[in-house]
Amino acid sequence: MSELASGSPTPQDIAGPLAGVQVVDFTSAWAGPMTTRSLAFLGATVIKIESPVTMDSWRGSVHGAAPERFPDLVPGERPYNRNSYFNTQNHDKLSVALNLKKPGATDVVYALAETSDVVIANFSPGVLDRLGLGHDRLSAINPRIITVEMPAFGSGGPMTHHVGMGMTMEAACGMTGLMGYGDGKPVPTGTAYMDPIGGLHGAAAVLTALVDRERTGVGQRIEVAQTEAAMHWIGDELIAAAEGGEPWEPRGNRVRDAAPHDAYPCAGTDEWVAIAVFDDDQWRGLCAEIGRDGLVDDPRFATSDVRWQNQDDLADVIGAWTSGQDKSAVAQRLQRAGVPAAPVQNGADIWGCPGLREIGFLATLDHPEAGTHDYPGLAYRLERTPGAVRRAAPRFGEHNDHVLREVLGFGAERVAELRASGAVADRPAS
Amino acid sequence: MKDAFSGLSVVDATGSIAGNYCAKLLGSHGADVTMVEPVGGSPVRRWGPPGGRADGPEDAASPLFRHLNAGKRSVPVDVATDTGRRAARGIVEAADVVLYDQRAEDWLDPGPLAERAVVCRITDFPTAGRWAGWSGSEMIHQALSGVMYVTGSPDRQPLYGVGHRAYFAAGVSAYITVTSALLERGRSGRGQRTRTTVLESSAAMAQNFVTQYAYNRTFTTRRRYPGMLSILKCRDAWVILFALRHFDGLCETFDVPELLTDPRFVDPVVRGANWHLASDILAAAAARFTADELVDRGQRRKVSIEKVHSMADLLRSEQVRVRGMVVHDNGRTSLGPVFRSVVAS
């Protein structure tokens, strides 16, 4: 179901707004691949350079990974082509397996640089330069090239060379310290949330540089320090603290400006509904649904201030009502009554969510080794030049010949030499 | 890069964090941004941590409002009146980019605007179908996205997180949508209608939930994080450790060499399966160090470990100072760039 006006897009329109943009992608894991996945979704050609020695960690190893990453829990003969983590973040990309330490490999990158618009990496600081692939070197080949690096921490400081992962970056940027049950122990987000934060800002940086290039005619080198970008997402807390405000102490799901505001138990094991009441109208709506005599007039809950103070009592009342009920049914009832509420969805719920399917958020893709499955989309909706999830993630080195022979125009002999030297690999090392 | 959008006019007719953050990103790279605010001010003026006044000029508004809207021009418009609606339409009709939400739908007609402008509707939910009429908030979106379900302790209620991260995700998603449409407009000469919802933006932040279930009908819970993660209490503060590589370095960091030959942790596969046991051993070891000591020991050995920073820690941080990430100007504070161009030395 489309909310937008219908029309007849041209073939150029269908290709997406970034049709014609070519990206050389050295990224791995989540943040960088989410950036390049966003660009591919919007129509860019993304050529993913994969090392046969140290594969993208989200492919796992040649021996496999945790079984829950694989179709039917089976790693298979080539588990690195069947890993759900990799296959989620790398759809619509081309895979070229290059060992950058072998003769001829960097020449492949230099050849790609001649016709590419963007080179992107999430290596540790300095690695691209040491490989001879830094911005200075590549812009000498192509002055229009844009290089985007996504370190955990910005250059020039004492933490510049820190090894950063999603969870540790979240702690470092101040986010984790604002989360917890109020017993003194911090609670990090249950996913590596910093990674998609970095992924989004990486895409934003690439697009900004592409716009800037229209103005200047030349590319540039961009640094997206992931912890710095993420600090903006809690920027209000940091500004308040800097201006002498009282620091926020985590209190579970409780917040400054709403009560009740929490997750309440529902029927089943580990099933919850989130309910948030911000004003008296919503409070009255909640009371009407709970239907308990005297609740709406109970002086302990009559105003937002006293509701905030008496949240423990409120939790007992609401929890008694929600337990035994289906979380989605409760949420729907409350939403109809004007009360913000939602089932706390798990992976099964999201996959089966009719609302997400209805709006086309999920895409079904055929992968030659992983099979046919559903994948999540992205939130970029353009009417006339839409983006899309079109093709399954590439198998390791799947596009070696396509890129070398057809994109770069290398002859058969040169390609054979690259394979003989080990520069190009068709399978990962053991 | 700070002039990438020089000459571009943007109207922010949203009353949302998402719309404001999208417009902030455009403004920080040179766009001229005008906010259309209702009489009485945007609701964002009253959100977030306390500080400043709800009404009045920008510098008296909440830290959240100032963080998102510093540098924008504000035009209060009473859209309840015909005069006000005409004024609002006059503001948007010359803009290159128009950001709006459902509050603007009774006076803003995106169709004609989109002939030459990029028009982006930013809402919590799709406004048609089964989501029509839904009320959103940060916790609601985190609950729907799947991230809340996996955050917190297995024996307690799940946690939504902090702040307004789903709305910031939508703001950046809108920025990506708008800038890609602007690039296309540069080639075609045509604008278009676009949209971003907080619902989809926060669902896109989730870690492979859909795919894992699609592949094998399992899903992650709060019982166990799918990785070698430890939250450890040092003498003075907490640290977070993520042990992907360099296990030998990790054992040196914590001064627990016996783990290297412990059969429970001898290779990555069994180590991952038994990580909860390793965590217990590391927790005892961590108590002997301060957080800064442990982070220093670990990072020297390429171990990913960081202190859980408080706001006060960040304000004292040499990394933050060197990078100019907290800027003080006339008693008011702002943050440094979200990303930056690196000038060749």
Side-chain angles (χ1 to χ4, degrees), chain A residues 167 189-192, chain B residues 207 221-229 242:
Chain A
M167 295 296 201
T189 312
T191 64
Chain B
Q207 185 164 338
T221 70
R222 295 188 304 293
R223 278 195 297 275
R224 192 153 154 199
Y225 179 73
M228 290 180 280
L229 175 77
F242 192 79

Side-chain angles (χ1 to χ4, degrees), chain A residues 3 68 88 159 162-163 168 172 181 208 220-223 228 232 243 270 335 375 381 384-385, chain B residues 1 66-67 127 135 157 175 184 192 200 211 215-216 222 299 304 306 309 319 323 336 341-342:
Chain A
E3 290 192 83
E68 58 267 20
T88 303
M159 300 176 78
H162 274 209
V163 178
T168 56
Y181 288 100
T208 308
Q220 60 189 292
R221 179 182 170 198
I222 315 272
E223 182 180 71
E228 293 175 4
H232 281 264
E243 294 177 353
D270 200 24
Q335 284 284 356
Y375 295 84
R381 300 284 195 159
R384 185 170 53 75
T385 60
Chain B
M1 169 179 272
R66 285 185 281 116
H67 173 48
T127 55
S135 302
Q157 76 273 37
Y175 181 80
E184 195 281 334
Q192 65 179 298
E200 291 174 284
T211 325
Y215 271 34
N216 54 50
R222 295 188 304 293
Q299 289 289 352
S304 188
E306 294 291 348
H309 282 144
Q319 177 74 19
R323 294 287 296 175
S341 189
V342 177

